[in-house]
């Protein structure tokens, strides 16, 4: 009744934001609000605090690990393929709202900070392995809601073109270009369970057994 009367609705992940539709006050990334609300209900990105280790120290840390993970994931979901758009996105009202209460007031992370998170923090210690475990936990939470009794695993590879001297980039005769040749695993709903980046010149089934075993377990 309140939503109908006041023409806006409130969200569970924050009490500082009201959502309404008005043509003169828009953001092209407004769909992130719904994604953040789903994230909150399922408890997904908050698991970063349990699975990932942050070795940063000092009083100058402004962006917590969970906030950095959200900016990395949400910006991809909004269609921004890399961190180059972080400088613009850090001030986008929708992105700021979904990251954290701190970001809502002061802004998201800069390009350098997000890049450091993806290339340094996520590769520290066993964080990459823990990321796999965390993704499995995400899918488990969703599958509990779906009440599924059977899981179908679909393994496939694809090409990721490279344009330069990137380590591991190689010519692939099947795709006819210089690329990486990543390996993927999806379930029957199209959820990505695991990804492995491989050199461009390996066979499609290269390393499939080692790749599949933890998923099956």
């Amino acid at each position: 009744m309140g939503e109908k009367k006041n023409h806006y609705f409130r969200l569970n992940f924050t009490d500082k934001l009201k959502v309404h539709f008005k043509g003169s006050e828009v953001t092209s990334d407004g769909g992130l609000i719904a994604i953040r609300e789903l994230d909150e209900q399922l408890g997904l990105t908050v698991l970063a605090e349990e699975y990932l280790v942050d070795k940063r120290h000092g009083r100058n840390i402004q962006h917590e690990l969970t906030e950095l993970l959200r900016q990395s994931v949400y910006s991809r979901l909004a269609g921004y393929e890399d961190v180059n758009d972080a400088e613009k996105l850090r001030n986008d009202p929708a992105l700021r709202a979904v990251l954290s209460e701190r970001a809502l007031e002061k802004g998201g992370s800069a390009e350098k900070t997000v890049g450091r998170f993806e290339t340094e923090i996520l590769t520290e210690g066993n964080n990459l392995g823990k990321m796999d475990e965390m993704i499995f936990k995400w899918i488990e939470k969703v599958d509990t809601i779906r009440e599924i009794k059977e899981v179908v695993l679909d393994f496939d590879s694809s090409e990721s073109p490279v344009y330069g001297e990137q380590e591991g980039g190689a010519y692939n005769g099947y795709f006819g270009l210089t690329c990486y040749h990543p390996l993927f695993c999806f379930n029957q709903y199209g959820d990505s369970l695991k990804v492995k980046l491989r050199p461009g010149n390996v066979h499609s089934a290269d390393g499939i057994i080692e790749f599949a075993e933890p998923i099956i377990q």
Side-chain angles (χ1 to χ4, degrees), residues 19-78:
V19 179
H20 66 107
F21 302 91
K22 191 174 181 180
S24 60
E25 301 175 15
V26 299
T27 169
S28 60
D29 301 313
L32 291 176
I33 301 294
I35 292 174
R36 177 66 178 88
E37 184 73 356
L38 177 63
D39 182 353
E40 180 74 11
Q41 295 296 323
L42 295 179
L44 302 180
T45 54
V46 72
L47 288 177
E49 301 173 7
E50 177 182 343
Y51 282 84
L52 303 181
V53 175
D54 188 356
K55 295 184 178 180
R56 294 177 298 165
H57 299 286
R59 298 181 178 180
N60 294 327
I61 298 175
Q62 299 182 38
H63 309 279
E64 298 296 333
L65 195 65
T66 301
E67 180 188 317
L68 290 171
L69 177 64
R70 284 173 182 157
Q71 183 163 344
S72 179
V73 173
Y74 292 168
S75 61
R76 278 10 183 261
L77 292 175

Side-chain angles (χ1 to χ4, degrees), residues 39-211:
D39 182 353
E40 180 74 11
Q41 295 296 323
L42 295 179
L44 302 180
T45 54
V46 72
L47 288 177
E49 301 173 7
E50 177 182 343
Y51 282 84
L52 303 181
V53 175
D54 188 356
K55 295 184 178 180
R56 294 177 298 165
H57 299 286
R59 298 181 178 180
N60 294 327
I61 298 175
Q62 299 182 38
H63 309 279
E64 298 296 333
L65 195 65
T66 301
E67 180 188 317
L68 290 171
L69 177 64
R70 284 173 182 157
Q71 183 163 344
S72 179
V73 173
Y74 292 168
S75 61
R76 278 10 183 261
L77 292 175
Y80 304 96
E81 297 182 355
D82 49 42
V83 302
N84 294 336
D85 295 297
E87 287 298 328
K88 179 181 70 175
L89 286 174
R90 66 181 302 189
N91 295 315
D92 182 273
L95 185 71
R96 288 170 55 190
V98 300
L99 294 181
S100 67
E101 292 191 1
R102 188 217 61 80
L104 180 59
E105 296 179 0
K106 299 183 178 182
S109 302
E111 176 183 341
K112 183 177 180 180
T113 304
V114 181
R116 182 166 176 260
F117 166 73
E118 296 184 359
T119 59
E120 297 181 22
I121 297 177
L122 284 184
T123 59
E124 290 177 341
N126 191 35
N127 275 348
L128 286 179
K130 288 296 183 179
M131 278 287 290
D132 279 345
E133 293 182 23
M134 188 170 69
I135 291 174
F136 291 157
K137 190 66 177 180
W138 288 2
I139 301 302
E140 179 183 322
K141 286 174 172 286
V142 175
D143 284 348
T144 299
I145 296 175
R146 290 171 173 155
E147 299 182 345
I148 67 171
K149 305 297 183 181
E150 180 181 69
V151 176
V152 178
L153 300 179
D154 177 19
F155 296 93
D156 203 356
S157 66
S158 185
E159 86 281 12
S160 179
V162 299
Y163 306 95
E165 301 297 328
Q166 290 95 328
E167 182 180 358
Y171 183 80
N172 186 294
Y174 178 81
F175 296 114
L177 46 77
T178 301
C179 62
Y180 293 120
H181 193 184
L183 184 62
F184 298 88
C185 178
F186 300 92
N187 63 14
Q188 66 265 42
Y189 295 100
D191 300 322
S192 177
L193 304 183
K194 191 174 182 181
V195 180
K196 180 180 180 181
L197 187 64
R198 303 179 302 174
N201 57 357
V202 300
H203 187 274
S204 293
D206 185 78
I208 183 66
I209 300 300
E210 296 82 2
F211 181 77

Side-chain angles (χ1 to χ4, degrees), residues 4-18:
K4 184 175 180 180
K5 179 180 178 180
N6 298 310
H7 304 292
Y8 65 79
F9 60 90
R10 291 192 176 274
L11 302 151
N12 288 290
F13 69 85
T14 179
D15 60 1
K16 296 183 178 181
L17 189 69
K18 295 184 296 184

